[in-house]
Amino acid sequence: MHAVQTQFWAVRDYLSPVLRESKFKEHGRITPEEFVAAGDFLTYKFPVWTWEKGDGTRVRDFLPKDKQFLMTRNVPCLRRATTLAYTDEQEDSEKLLSFAEGPGSDKDEDWVQTHAGRTEAEGHAVADITDIPDLDGPSQTTSSITTGLNNMSLDERGALDAHPIPSADEIPDIDDIPDMEDEGMEEPEDEAAAVPEKPAATEAEPIEVAKGNLLQVRTYDVMITYDKYYQTPRIWLLGYDESGNPLTPSQVFQDVSAEHAFKTVTIEPFPHSTTLTAASVHPCKHASVMKKVIERMNAGIAEEQKRLGIASAKESKDAKSGGKKWLGGMVRKVTGGSGSESPSTGTETPASDEADGMRVDYYLVVFLKFIASIVPTIEVDSTTAF
Amino acid sequence: MPIVQFVPFSSSVHPSFWHELTKLKIDVLKLDSSRVPITASYTAGKTVLDRETGNEIGLGCHLTLGEDAFKVDASRPAKHATKISGTLINFNTIEEFKSSDKAALFNDLADKFWSSVSAAATSSSSTTSPPPQLNTFLLLTFADLKKYKYYYWFAFPAFMASPPWEIADPGWGLAEDAFGREGLEGVREQLGGLEGQDGGAEGSFLVRRGKEGYEVGRLGEWAEFFADVPEEDRVVAFLDPSSTLNPGWPLRNLLSHLSSLQPGKPLALNILSWRDTELPTGNKRWASRYGRISLPGATAELEGKRPTAVGWERNAAGKLGGRMADLAPMMDPTRLADQAV
């Protein structure tokens, strides 16, 4: 069944025309050119992201040959999303998620709220947790989109809580792999080799290990492709466990917030490789969510710009600092939170077209913050200092 | 003085590497189990802020193999990554994989590698010599293509110094304290220029304290670069994949190389573990570390002979043993169908 569906998607993707007109403010959809522009901005701003060519036979001709998709490797994932302990403060964020919908709006049209499945999650996915640690007071979960947006400062601390997930199935059966020691062969004593620390905690943190509250640091390779049918970026995840073994799909789903696993996140063939399959967030609702986020941002920006416009009218085009401010400003606007002032990192924002609100270059930055709400423990959002 | 400990590499194999290996095995190698040259890469060690505890968590000392591993002459590694070349031996059966004489394979590789490390040393006085190969790896594999299972075992040969290197008090400190922010910024800037010209010598470079801040040079230019520089102003730097207190594995062979320049003599070096390929953001400090290490004169009998080599990777259980990547859940069509909703 799935194969048929995949085939169908491929055909539909093939037949759908390439979006030419810029529509990102109206629908949240972007053209390939805009995708490239936003990707260029992302790679320039955050060098952990790079453009990749992908498989030579899978080149999408509406994108430049050497800019087929974006990738970042070794994205850390300290804890499992299934073990996230939620606080009541998420109520706020949920309200914000259903923004901009009239009272009569169809609930189905909303993006699935990140924490709606809380009780359910505790029911099954977290079943094997024996003691759920206390929450520390006023901390917040960082995992909804709005707090994700709010989370511009590095000092933000989430109430992500960890518990080791039984790892019996994570260590492959290595009985049939020869052990060097079995063969009576040993390496010379090597006192200069550091004993691998487990988990790879820095010297500052021996307590965590002692508590048995072990971190399981997984890493992810994250790819962003352009989905021609939905005309949005699409995110792909390839996971590895602590010892570098690829994760199975069910293990990947541990890092997806309960509501999205198996529904919006599925395992699909990766479009830029002939053989690879990866977990992907299905992009069918991306456009509408992005549209809402952009609308909120634009409203914020417009206000901010009015203010700035008066202040800096005399300074005319010297809008560099303004560019920085409006992003921070609009983010606070959107989230409605009282987030700490985003640290001024001296961003050099080419700030033309300010009157038009958010520029399309920021699309992927915003998109990543949105994705961070679906995979709350994977640190895809490297843009926190922004 | 405490001895210097090095964080071993841990392998990180991208699934696309196994896909490429599968293709290669079916289309090219077939039953051939000879050596295949491959490449891997590493980047500076990264840490991540644990939002729960506020601690920095190190992300290990990874050597990454991707799908471009078989394209040995592929132009450049990703930005800020250092490429090292290695050898792949793919066995046809699990029995061969198990029964292969691993010690012999390893020693064979170590012999060749030592001649690279030390022979390059003798000729490095001339500026034209290519940078010595200071890191390599051996990868033994068996690909069970029907079950999508890949058995593998890495070795990252490194030579033991005897007696071992020692680190002077106060141990490894933050480079920021020794160089100052401006100093490190200067190093970073010049490093960008160095990278432009086909990289430093496999991720190692030299730094000297000049009149106007710090200057950066290539490892191969040792004699000229350090000509009139007092010993305390000479710094040997390398791209450090480790994210913990101890320096990463590549330093080990770099030191072997440097000590083979003057065999048997005591040696003292200032080491900069370079980890700041990305500018620190916000209030973060520069991650690079700095230490002064020394080698109390080696025993003369070792001269000319290859030091003992170590470096088999330990498996998840911490033992010397192979590993297995099971890609069935991600590749097997029937199992994928089960996952689909």
Side-chain angles (χ1 to χ4, degrees), chain A residues 2 48 79 157 160 176 180 187 189-192 194 200 202-203 205 221 240 243 245 262 275 277, chain B residues 5-6 14-15 19 50-52 55-56 58 98 153 160 252 278 289 311-312 320 323-324 330 340-341:
Chain A
H2 184 63
V48 291
R79 301 191 159 87
R157 292 183 46 175
L160 318 184
D176 48 357
M180 248 192 167
E187 277 207 323
E189 199 66 33
D190 181 15
E191 55 181 350
T202 44
E203 66 273 13
E205 199 27 55
D221 290 343
Y240 308 91
S243 50
N245 288 315
F262 301 104
T275 44
T277 56
Chain B
Q5 290 195 317
F6 306 90
H14 197 272
H19 291 287
D50 183 348
R51 282 177 297 196
E52 189 202 344
N55 293 314
E56 291 282 328
K98 281 184 188 172
W153 198 351
M160 286 171 70
R252 217 170 172 182
E278 284 162 40
R289 292 186 176 272
W312 284 104
L320 288 172
R323 295 163 177 244
M324 185 193 68
M330 297 299 264
V341 185

Side-chain angles (χ1 to χ4, degrees), chain B residues 215-230:
Chain B
E215 292 164 50
V216 172
R218 288 162 188 288
L219 187 63
E221 302 166 348
W222 181 286
E224 300 81 26
F225 190 75
F226 282 156
D228 299 316
V229 183

Side-chain angles (χ1 to χ4, degrees), chain B residues 77-93:
Chain B
K79 219 175 169 189
H80 303 314
T82 292
K83 227 154 96 170
I84 69 178
S85 52
T87 310
L88 166 80
I89 302 176
N90 186 43
F91 295 102
N92 287 311
T93 61

Side-chain angles (χ1 to χ4, degrees), chain A residues 45 66 100-101 137 141 146 162 164 176 190 227 250 299 301 360 380 384-385:
Chain A
K45 213 67 214 157
D66 54 343
E101 292 286 340
T141 168
T146 39
D176 48 357
D190 181 15
D227 191 284
S250 56
I301 293 162
V360 78
V380 278
T384 42

Side-chain angles (χ1 to χ4, degrees), chain A residues 25-302:
Chain A
K25 272 170 216 146
E26 286 78 16
H27 312 139
R29 299 200 281 268
I30 53 171
T31 65
E33 288 75 27
E34 287 170 328
F35 176 69
V36 171
D40 282 342
F41 180 74
L42 188 72
T43 51
Y44 165 74
K45 213 67 214 157
F46 310 102
V48 291
W49 288 95
T50 49
W51 281 109
E52 297 284 330
K53 289 190 200 75
D55 191 281
T57 60
R58 295 295 176 100
V59 174
R60 316 300 305 267
D61 51 12
F62 49 84
L63 289 170
K65 264 213 171 75
D66 54 343
K67 293 181 178 179
Q68 292 284 308
F69 65 98
L70 290 154
M71 182 165 188
T72 179
R73 288 179 193 270
N74 294 331
V75 178
C77 174
L78 299 183
R79 301 191 159 87
R80 304 293 78 81
T82 45
T83 64
L84 278 185
Y86 298 128
T87 70
D88 286 337
E89 265 163 77
Q90 66 191 322
E91 303 295 325
D92 291 340
S93 37
E94 284 183 1
K95 268 177 225 150
L96 281 163
L97 248 195
S98 50
F99 51 71
E101 292 286 340
S105 71
D106 185 359
K107 272 283 168 212
D108 293 342
E109 288 296 307
D110 277 343
W111 179 259
V112 180
Q113 290 165 2
T114 313
H115 296 131
R118 176 183 172 191
T119 44
E120 194 190 353
E122 281 172 1
H124 65 271
V126 200
D128 28 33
I129 287 182
T130 45
D131 72 308
I132 295 172
D134 293 337
L135 299 169
D136 358 52
S139 53
Q140 306 142 18
T141 168
T142 48
S143 47
S144 78
I145 176 170
T146 39
T147 40
L149 284 164
N150 202 6
N151 190 16
M152 292 273 166
S153 123
L154 277 173
D155 310 324
E156 183 85 5
R157 292 183 46 175
L160 318 184
D161 225 313
H163 199 284
I165 284 179
S167 59
D169 57 335
E170 289 181 15
I171 297 169
D173 182 18
I174 46 173
D175 285 347
D176 48 357
I177 301 179
D179 210 281
M180 248 192 167
E181 284 153 343
D182 292 346
E183 295 167 25
M185 174 182 142
E186 270 183 40
E187 277 207 323
E189 199 66 33
D190 181 15
E191 55 181 350
V195 179
E197 293 157 67
K198 260 204 164 207
T202 44
E203 66 273 13
E205 199 27 55
I207 308 140
E208 185 94 6
V209 181
K211 274 198 303 195
N213 190 11
L214 288 177
L215 294 173
Q216 290 192 311
V217 184
R218 291 178 175 177
T219 53
Y220 277 85
D221 290 343
V222 183
M223 287 84 80
I224 303 176
T225 61
Y226 179 75
D227 191 284
K228 189 168 151 232
Y229 179 79
Y230 290 103
Q231 299 156 350
T232 59
R234 180 170 187 172
I235 204 111
W236 300 82
L237 302 165
L238 269 177
Y240 308 91
D241 68 11
E242 286 166 300
S243 50
N245 288 315
L247 298 178
T248 64
S250 56
Q251 286 171 327
V252 172
F253 288 132
Q254 292 171 344
D255 293 323
V256 178
S257 70
E259 190 60 32
H260 296 295
F262 301 104
K263 288 180 189 157
T264 49
V265 180
T266 49
I267 309 290
E268 307 282 340
F270 184 63
H272 294 283
S273 155
T274 45
T275 44
L276 205 60
T277 56
S280 171
V281 181
H282 200 263
C284 55
K285 292 284 163 75
H286 283 10
S288 59
V289 174
M290 287 303 289
K291 176 181 165 245
K292 287 176 195 168
V293 174
I294 291 167
E295 271 172 8
R296 294 285 289 201
M297 286 197 161
N298 279 344
I301 293 162

